[in-house]
Amino acid sequence: MEIIDGLAFYNAFPLAELEVGQHLYWHIGNLKVHGQVFITSWVVIAILVIASIAATRNVQRIPSGLQNFMEYALEFLRDLAKNQIGEKEYRPWVPFVGTLFLFIFVANWSGALVPWKLIELPEGELAAPTSDINTTVAFALLTSLAYFYAGLSKKGLGYFAGYAQPTPILLPFKVLEDFTKPLSLSFRLFGNILADELVVAVLVLLVPLFVPLPVMALGLFTSAIQALIFATLAAAYIGEAMEDHH
């Protein structure tokens, strides 16, 4: 009893307090959605839609300006899908792979360039959508559904026969791989973007003038690399699902 009373005495005078997980939630009926992620995701979608409309509003035979940039981005994404999926099968998957890359790229850069924290919310604070595990898990699960659909649409139920090739011993490992793929995709993207935002926030707090600038520039580079890695791996998984096993 004396030990319990002593603990109660110290709890009456806390030396520090830390709250983790403050978020803005919207209640739609019995559904609770993450308002912070929706707001920043809508901003990213709006940027992509406005850029697409502006680039295609007055299409020229000799592109220039924003049209030239968007055509370069499209050619880059088409080559990425072709290299990973294959020349015969890549065309239907360019929109999916391209959407993943562009959304993640703009979302990552928004976390580094947009001062979200200046916008005050009743609870929590705004940040890049990809710094939230819900967004990255959703993208990873969409990628899993995509490569299952790709394999089943091409091979039918024979797709699952590839789990036992070249030897049935690999069956449990390939089943386990289907669970580890979305985990690795989601946690890699989430961890890198969240870590970058935390490092910049700490440096701005400690040394608010010039030291954080190189870290922010490095964050822009790593953010672009993370978008490229996610899109490349998604395309590679789709190509692997449609690959013939002979």
Side-chain angles (χ1 to χ4, degrees), residues 6-245:
L7 292 176
F9 172 78
Y10 284 113
N11 288 334
F13 301 96
L15 298 178
E17 183 177 358
L18 178 63
E19 292 184 1
V20 179
Q22 291 289 331
H23 298 293
L24 174 66
Y25 291 106
W26 294 338
H27 296 272
I28 305 175
N30 294 327
L31 183 65
K32 184 170 71 171
V33 298
H34 202 160
Q36 297 168 229
V37 175
F38 271 82
I39 293 172
T40 51
S41 296
W42 289 337
V43 172
V44 172
I45 293 172
I47 292 173
L48 292 173
V49 170
I50 292 172
S52 300
I53 293 174
T56 57
R57 185 175 57 180
N58 185 21
V59 179
Q60 303 292 329
R61 293 180 61 89
I62 301 177
S64 61
L66 186 58
Q67 179 188 344
N68 188 34
F69 175 78
M70 294 297 286
E71 288 189 7
Y72 173 79
L74 177 60
E75 183 178 353
F76 170 78
L77 294 170
R78 187 172 54 196
D79 291 340
L80 187 153
K82 183 192 297 184
N83 292 334
Q84 299 299 324
I85 300 176
E87 189 170 359
K88 295 181 179 180
E89 308 286 350
Y90 82 95
R91 292 184 183 276
W93 295 101
V94 172
F96 177 75
V97 175
T99 301
L100 284 178
F101 175 82
L102 290 175
F103 185 94
I104 295 173
F105 178 84
V106 176
N108 292 351
W109 273 42
S110 72
L113 297 177
V114 178
W116 293 113
K117 292 178 175 56
L118 296 180
I119 303 175
E120 295 185 0
L121 298 177
E123 291 180 331
E125 59 184 17
L126 296 177
T130 44
S131 67
D132 189 279
I133 189 64
N134 299 285
T135 305
T136 59
V137 167
F139 283 147
L141 292 178
L142 282 175
T143 301
S144 296
L145 291 176
Y147 70 71
F148 275 121
Y149 171 79
L152 290 172
S153 63
K154 183 176 181 180
K155 305 175 185 178
L157 294 178
Y159 166 75
F160 295 106
Y163 282 53
Q165 293 179 359
T167 172
I169 298 176
L170 295 178
L171 177 61
F173 297 100
K174 292 196 175 183
V175 172
L176 181 62
E177 185 181 13
D178 287 334
F179 291 95
T180 57
K181 282 179 179 177
L183 284 175
S184 63
L185 281 175
S186 58
F187 281 98
R188 180 190 297 109
L189 179 59
F190 161 71
N192 280 280
I193 301 306
L194 180 62
D196 177 66
E197 290 193 353
L198 291 176
V199 169
V200 172
V202 170
L203 287 177
V204 169
L205 180 64
L206 296 177
V207 190
L209 291 179
F210 300 107
V211 175
L213 293 179
V215 179
M216 294 174 67
L218 180 62
L220 293 175
F221 176 75
T222 56
S223 297
I225 293 298
Q226 289 303 316
L228 178 61
I229 290 174
F230 197 103
T232 302
L233 288 176
Y237 293 156
I238 293 170
E240 182 182 352
M242 293 189 293
E243 184 181 7
D244 292 324
H245 297 278

